[in-house]
Amino acid sequence: MIEARKARVATVSLAGCFGCHMAILDIDERLIELMKLVDFDRSPLTDKKTFTNRCDIGIIEGGCCNEENVHVLRDFRRNCDVLIAIGQCAIMGGLPAMRNAIMHSDAPLRECLEEAYITGKYIRNTTHNIPNDPALPLMLDEVYPCSDVVEIDYQIPGCAPEGDIIFETLTRLLAGKFHGFSSDSIKFD
Amino acid sequence: MSDPDFTFTIDGKTIAGKPGQTIMEAADEAGVYIPRLCDHEGLRHQGGCRICTVKAEGRSVAACTQPAAAGVVVESETDHINKLRRDLVEMLFHEGNHLCPICEASGNCELQAMAYRLDMTAPTKFPFLEPCRELDASHPDIALDTNRCISCGRCIRASQDIDQKGIFGYVGRGIHRRVAVNGNNLAGTDADIADNAVSADVCPVGCIIRKGVGFATPIGEREFDQGMIGTDIEGKRRD
């Protein structure tokens, strides 16, 4: 017999600004309704850093800009039945992907980092170094959408998606009644 | 003696046509919206973007240039044609750098609005070309970011035909064909903020930027936040 339990949800912010997690909070008082349906496992909302259980739904904010993002995303794919990418960064790279257009060779990356950490007009970096601590994850050559790294089941567009569309999508998925978005609810900004 | 008026059908709806009208002109008058990007009211038709592709008697034609004729059976809002339109819009997103979250045209952008209308929620598996084109901010009132240009040519036609200036033109061939200014940069031309070619409506995307007014209307209250693209034309329909 299938055990009756709440759906388990994990969330993570990769190369994102945390805005999509703020948008999850924009569900407002309906969070109480949602919490009757789900338990949060690994998530910044619970401060759990690792999976304690296999999850039904994994929610990914942000794309992949470094090797740690890729590692975490693969971990989510292994531990979640359904992966949902929320927001433009997770779907197509978003703001961090602005660097892709200047990343066709190595020299522009150096220029970009030098301007950000050394030569930029408004920089106060007393070490005059580009951060290179071994603990820092290695930057990828480009910023990748999540669907380039693992299989993604659903994508909720928006920057950030409104609380309404997140709530609607989650509750419909949980009820097995999700059949895509209506045209007037799609927004990329 | 001039030819008499006639009727034809789009998706089974009877449309009144006048001699010399294109399928799109007749459809607009009748309140039937056919999606388009390179066509703009007041400018000569170009038939470049092919978003307005319809089937007339089974043949794919650009509705903005194909003359309407008596009794023609036109198909427009079918799954097959809308899939073709969505493919075209998706490829435009892959060809340039269309990052809606950082673009000041977001909400007023016809490319974005067309993606909404055609239910595009995520990019395709095509590679992003990610061009690296120079920003031209030389002019005191106008800036150009051709990373966002979709080569619709609306600014070219507006500048040539309405402003009688010819500030913009195409350069290059094939996939390298791009819109460029007639000079070293925009400041080197006689472009003026009062030109029709740089007015807010002519550039469908965020390529021609009017300086100093970018966020006068906040995101969320802009043209296509109020309603889907084409609803103004569809609102004229009386049945």
Side-chain angles (χ1 to χ4, degrees):
Chain A
M1 208 183 103
I2 300 165
E3 147 206 29
R5 60 163 175 84
K6 290 187 191 177
R8 281 191 283 265
V9 177
T11 76
V12 72
S13 177
L14 304 176
C17 69
F18 244 85
C20 294
H21 274 76
M22 295 296 114
I24 294 175
L25 300 182
D26 276 344
I27 292 175
D28 294 335
E29 68 266 34
R30 285 169 298 177
L31 271 171
I32 298 165
E33 208 176 309
L34 187 65
M35 292 309 290
K36 288 178 191 158
L37 304 172
V38 303
D39 276 327
F40 280 94
D41 194 80
R42 175 184 175 158
S43 166
L45 305 172
T46 56
D47 211 21
K48 285 183 192 160
K49 308 285 196 284
T50 52
F51 284 96
T52 57
N53 265 307
R54 184 167 179 85
C55 288
D56 301 289
I57 295 178
I59 296 175
I60 315 286
E61 165 189 347
C64 291
C65 77
N66 63 36
E67 57 175 357
E68 193 229 356
N69 296 151
V70 174
H71 176 83
V72 172
L73 182 55
R74 287 186 175 150
D75 200 28
F76 262 71
R77 182 71 276 181
R78 273 193 294 274
N79 285 286
C80 302
D81 293 343
V82 169
L83 275 195
I84 308 176
I86 67 168
Q88 292 304 107
C89 297
I91 293 175
M92 46 74 73
L95 264 75
M98 281 179 80
R99 78 166 156 103
N100 291 1
I102 59 159
M103 295 279 285
H104 296 310
S105 73
D106 286 346
L109 173 60
R110 174 157 292 283
E111 259 173 52
C112 173
L113 291 174
E114 278 176 356
E115 188 176 339
Y117 289 102
I118 301 171
T119 61
K121 258 192 205 168
Y122 310 104
I123 305 300
R124 203 183 186 96
N125 176 4
T126 48
T127 64
H128 299 286
N129 283 329
I130 295 169
N132 61 354
D133 191 288
L136 289 174
L138 192 69
M139 273 172 90
L140 301 180
D141 60 338
E142 285 200 356
V143 177
Y144 293 91
C146 292
S147 61
D148 276 8
V149 179
V150 297
E151 178 120 8
I152 297 289
D153 302 292
Y154 300 98
Q155 319 214 46
I156 307 179
C159 181
E162 285 182 12
D164 292 345
I165 192 172
I166 298 176
F167 180 76
E168 286 288 314
T169 310
L170 281 178
T171 47
R172 284 199 197 144
L173 272 174
L174 290 167
K177 288 180 188 158
F178 179 74
H179 304 295
F181 307 104
S182 65
S183 303
D184 55 3
S185 68
I186 302 171
K187 287 277 176 286
F188 301 157
D189 56 21
Chain B
M1 194 183 88
S2 64
D3 295 332
D5 292 354
F6 55 85
T7 61
F8 64 105
T9 65
I10 298 179
D11 296 332
K13 298 182 190 109
T14 304
I15 310 288
K18 298 187 191 79
Q21 265 186 332
T22 64
I23 293 175
M24 188 187 282
E25 285 166 352
D28 282 359
E29 271 184 26
V32 172
Y33 178 72
I34 299 172
R36 80 289 304 260
L37 285 174
C38 77
D39 200 75
H40 185 61
E41 202 175 353
L43 301 180
R44 90 184 117 86
H45 307 303
Q46 177 170 280
C49 72
R50 314 310 275 194
I51 304 289
C52 70
T53 297
V54 293
K55 296 249 185 203
E57 300 293 345
R59 285 180 58 228
S60 296
V61 295
C64 68
T65 52
Q66 180 73 16
V72 175
V73 177
V74 177
E75 292 169 61
S76 174
E77 290 289 326
T78 65
D79 288 348
H80 172 66
I81 294 171
N82 275 332
K83 169 77 169 63
L84 291 178
R85 290 172 180 156
R86 187 164 64 242
D87 287 347
L88 290 172
V89 169
E90 282 172 347
M91 283 193 278
L92 287 173
F93 269 88
H94 284 263
E95 189 275 334
N97 293 325
H98 298 286
L99 295 150
C100 300
I102 54 131
C103 181
E104 67 164 65
S106 189
N108 293 325
C109 171
E110 292 180 32
L111 178 68
Q112 184 193 51
M114 201 58 73
Y116 295 163
R117 186 180 171 103
L118 298 170
D119 293 330
M120 179 188 129
T121 53
T124 66
K125 287 292 170 195
F126 294 124
F128 283 98
L129 297 189
E130 290 159 352
C132 189
R133 301 177 191 143
E134 287 283 313
L135 185 81
D136 180 353
S138 58
H139 194 282
D141 304 317
I142 312 156
L144 281 186
D145 185 352
T146 52
N147 292 293
R148 301 167 182 168
C149 179
I150 57 168
S151 298
C152 65
R154 278 157 53 160
C155 57
I156 299 176
R157 283 170 277 151
S159 188
Q160 283 173 356
D161 300 348
I162 297 176
D163 301 328
Q164 309 288 328
K165 281 184 174 177
I167 292 163
F168 301 101
Y170 283 121
V171 293
R173 282 177 174 276
I175 195 170
H176 304 293
R177 188 173 80 151
R178 300 245 308 280
V179 172
V181 295
N182 184 12
N184 290 333
N185 55 31
L186 203 54
T189 68
D190 54 352
D192 187 88
I193 190 72
D195 286 353
N196 184 272
V198 302
S199 65
D201 283 350
V202 166
C203 184
V205 290
C207 172
I208 298 177
I209 301 162
R210 295 162 67 84
K211 292 185 182 178
V213 294
F215 289 90
T217 310
I219 301 272
E221 294 174 18
R222 298 181 172 195
E223 187 178 357
F224 301 118
D225 295 318
Q226 316 293 338
M228 207 182 295
I229 190 168
T231 42
D232 50 339
I233 289 173
E234 286 165 342
K236 288 193 283 186
R237 185 96 190 139
R238 286 188 302 269
D239 60 11

